[in-house]
Amino acid sequence: QHPTDRVISEKIMKMEAFQKALQFISKNSIEKQIRIIYSSSYAQLTPENSPVIFKMLEEAAELWDVSVLPEVYIKRCYPMMATIEGMEKPIIMISTTFLESMSEQELWGVLASEMAGIKNGFCTIKFVEKLCSSSQGLLPDVITGPLQLAFRNWHKYAQYSFDRANLIATGDFNTTMRNTLLGETSNEILGGISFDDPNCDYMKQCREFLNNEDKLTGSIRNINSVFLDNPYYASRYIELFKFYQTEYYDLIEDYM
């Protein structure tokens, strides 16, 4: 887990509003009702109909020491999507487009990183966030108000933790970066980039974007980042590369 992400996620979980949200959800059986809706609306994967996926989940659970396997649902939609949520039992929701676009190694990286998110408590944070952002007003305003800004700030660093977990699981920097950028550009283009080369053109572009000293460009970039739900892809790339060069191999030795 990225250190800044750890601090922010732990702070969110200790917030009074977050604890009240958990109590409200539990008291009103909201999770149970949503689970019923999911099981009747989406195709559910099982060890019987998707043995390869569940073998990956079992391996990821062993890797991160997660005791409970999630329920897995497939959502037919065009956006690339794989997300976790839930309190009593985690849920992974995956878009059909995501599954159709991935190699087996890329899928393993995504599932392993989502399982790492479950280990870090992200599924509970995302579940509360989803209900807070609902237009139906499932949670009272006194709960959702204080949490909205905290969730937005958390998203900027949670992605760094997902990227780290993906890299540790796959052991391949290029696979992790292809997962990160999948949906933003074609597989053919991504396959031609050596992301682990610090002198590749994409690295040069990212460094130029983040280090642009032009006052106007820098101001626009920094202002825009405040309103983004996730960090810039350039930031994720540079942050992951730093991790790859400094901490990655020591962690791999611990897992071996």
Side-chain angles (χ1 to χ4, degrees), residues 113-128:
S113 62
E114 296 296 327
M115 288 295 289
I118 291 172
K119 174 73 172 182
N120 294 335
F122 290 176
C123 52
T124 302
I125 293 177
K126 286 197 169 190
F127 188 57
V128 174

Side-chain angles (χ1 to χ4, degrees), residues 9 12 49 67 73 125 132-134 185 196 212 214 241 252:
S9 59
I12 288 176
N49 63 29
S67 58
Y73 294 92
I125 293 177
C132 283
S133 61
S134 169
T185 188
D196 55 353
N212 193 309
D214 178 83
F241 195 83
I252 289 299

Side-chain angles (χ1 to χ4, degrees), residues 54-65:
F54 270 83
K55 186 175 186 298
M56 291 180 181
L57 291 174
E58 289 171 357
E59 291 176 354
E62 183 178 356
L63 176 65
W64 308 124
D65 192 24

Side-chain angles (χ1 to χ4, degrees), residues 164 167-168 173 195-200 203 207 236-252:
R164 288 179 172 209
L167 177 58
I168 290 173
F173 192 88
F195 292 102
D196 55 353
D197 178 4
N199 296 312
C200 74
M203 174 68 83
R207 284 176 173 162
R236 291 176 66 178
Y237 181 29
I238 299 295
E239 190 72 19
L240 185 65
F241 195 83
K242 290 178 182 177
F243 171 75
Y244 183 57
Q245 289 186 313
T246 56
E247 302 174 59
Y248 169 74
Y249 288 102
D250 290 337
L251 285 173
I252 289 299

Side-chain angles (χ1 to χ4, degrees), residues 152-191:
R152 180 181 290 275
N153 191 36
W154 170 70
H155 270 289
K156 298 181 189 304
Y157 297 95
Q159 294 297 338
Y160 296 148
S161 293
F162 281 117
D163 293 342
R164 288 179 172 209
N166 191 303
L167 177 58
I168 290 173
T170 63
D172 186 86
F173 192 88
N174 287 306
T175 296
T176 298
M177 283 308 303
R178 285 197 297 270
N179 275 344
T180 300
L181 297 171
L182 192 63
E184 297 302 314
T185 188
S186 68
N187 286 331
E188 290 76 16
I189 293 176
L190 292 176

Side-chain angles (χ1 to χ4, degrees), residues 53-104:
I53 286 178
F54 270 83
K55 186 175 186 298
M56 291 180 181
L57 291 174
E58 289 171 357
E59 291 176 354
E62 183 178 356
L63 176 65
W64 308 124
D65 192 24
V66 175
S67 58
V68 179
L69 288 182
E71 293 181 1
V72 183
Y73 294 92
I74 301 299
K75 183 176 184 180
R76 181 166 293 281
C77 61
Y78 289 108
M80 298 286 187
M81 182 198 73
T83 186
I84 51 177
E85 62 180 69
M87 288 169 44
E88 294 182 5
K89 185 172 185 180
I91 291 173
I92 296 181
M93 182 73 72
I94 309 174
S95 69
T96 51
T97 308
F98 214 66
L99 285 177
E100 292 166 356
S101 303
M102 291 184 145
S103 67
E104 191 166 307

